[in-house]
Amino acid sequence: MNSDQEALEQSALERLDSMSTVPKLQGPIGRVIGWVDTCFLALAVTALVAIAATVLLQISSRLFLPFSISWTEELSRYLFIYMVALSVGVVLRQNRNISVELFHHLLGPRMKAAFQVLICLLTGVFAFLVLPYAWKYAQNGAWQTSPTLGIPMLYIFFSTVVTFALLLVYSLLGCLEGIIAMCRSSASLQES
């Protein structure tokens, strides 16, 4: 029964996202990557919950206090920035980024894997080229502080480094998974 339900879930996932058929890494490496994914998603969800709490605090202070708290808007903005930065790699790995899927369902397993390699390669090259500039941008915040919280802007600007570093790592991982899937697909085609 459990395998039937898993097959139904996989079939539904394939109908929603045809690129999900490219297999992810398995074994101990796959478990470590899954754990890292879970950690990044937990941090992103924590940031989302903190955004909700901050906005509720802001609304409550405007409704029930004689003054409004000024730092809540700034904090919610910074939490949103880090929520996106921390989840960008996992979103890429799970093929949940925005894409136009006009022809993906027409591709065979090898071509889906090759398409994943192409997309991840382009994303990785872009992240690699932008990463040094993101670091320079983050360093600009070393002598600035945020207006109401007084946080050094280095920590806020560093989110660009986190974003492009995670994109680079996860795009390399996506390329590796795509190449392995292409090799497995070609090996399975030769056996039949």
Side-chain angles (χ1 to χ4, degrees):
M1 182 69 174
N2 193 17
S3 63
D4 292 338
Q5 187 173 358
E6 288 176 9
L8 278 172
E9 289 175 1
Q10 183 64 27
S11 174
L13 186 61
E14 288 174 18
R15 284 192 304 264
L16 290 174
D17 179 20
S18 63
M19 292 302 292
S20 66
T21 58
V22 177
K24 305 298 178 206
L25 289 175
Q26 303 293 319
I29 293 174
R31 284 192 296 274
V32 169
I33 294 168
W35 182 79
V36 170
D37 290 352
T38 303
C39 287
F40 281 122
L41 288 177
L43 289 171
V45 168
T46 302
L48 180 62
V49 170
I51 291 170
T54 304
V55 170
L56 285 175
L57 178 64
Q58 181 180 30
I59 292 169
S60 299
S61 72
R62 288 184 180 179
L63 290 176
F64 303 117
L65 296 177
F67 58 91
S68 62
I69 302 173
S70 61
W71 52 265
T72 54
E73 183 180 340
E74 189 174 302
L75 180 61
S76 63
R77 188 178 321 126
Y78 299 153
L79 287 169
F80 179 75
I81 290 168
Y82 265 98
M83 179 187 68
V84 171
L86 292 169
S87 61
V88 70
V90 180
V91 167
L92 178 66
R93 182 161 191 257
Q94 294 179 354
N95 297 311
R96 298 290 182 248
N97 46 343
I98 296 173
S99 64
V100 179
E101 297 184 8
L102 296 176
F103 60 89
H104 295 91
H105 64 282
L106 300 174
L107 299 176
R110 274 181 85 185
M111 288 307 294
K112 286 180 184 177
F115 186 72
Q116 177 175 315
V117 170
L118 175 67
I119 295 300
C120 287
L121 186 64
L122 291 173
T123 304
V125 167
F126 177 74
F128 179 76
L129 292 173
V130 173
L131 194 56
Y133 298 102
W135 177 247
K136 287 180 184 178
Y137 173 70
Q139 288 176 331
N140 286 336
W143 56 83
Q144 301 173 19
T145 58
S146 65
T148 57
L149 291 172
I151 298 171
M153 291 302 288
L154 171 68
Y155 300 126
I156 308 306
F157 293 171
F158 191 73
S159 64
T160 58
V161 176
V162 171
T163 300
F164 290 110
L166 287 175
L167 275 177
L168 180 60
V169 168
Y170 275 91
S171 64
L172 291 173
L173 182 61
C175 281
L176 179 64
E177 288 173 342
I179 290 169
I180 290 171
M182 284 189 329
C183 293
R184 284 185 182 160
S185 295
S186 64
S188 64
L189 288 175
Q190 290 174 354
E191 289 175 3
S192 46

